[in-house]
Amino acid sequence: MGSTSDKIEGKANEMAGKARQAAGDATDNHEMEAKGAAQEAKGHGQQAKGEVKDGVKKIVDKA
């Protein structure tokens, strides 16, 4: 997967996770809140992965 698709998928997971957390909070469903937090964290990780790929590509392109 390319860096851009990692970033896009990461942002989507982040947004979905936030929505899931909000729904869990509104319905007092702690399990849903926890799953939302985990999904949001996954999204942060995917975005970081995309950033790292960009950094590596820049270094390789300079070489």
Side-chain angles (χ1 to χ4, degrees):
M1 197 180 310
S3 64
T4 302
S5 56
D6 282 330
K7 291 181 205 174
I8 291 169
E9 190 174 329
K11 191 64 170 176
N13 270 319
E14 222 180 284
M15 292 170 51
K18 285 181 183 182
R20 187 183 247 182
Q21 286 179 70
D25 186 42
T27 61
D28 201 32
N29 184 333
H30 301 293
E31 184 180 350
M32 185 182 287
E33 282 183 81
K35 286 182 179 180
Q39 186 172 8
E40 184 178 359
K42 177 182 176 182
H44 286 296
Q46 286 171 315
Q47 286 188 45
K49 180 180 172 184
E51 294 295 331
V52 168
K53 283 182 179 180
D54 280 346
V56 170
K57 184 178 180 333
K58 286 178 184 175
I59 291 170
V60 169
D61 287 347
K62 286 183 180 180

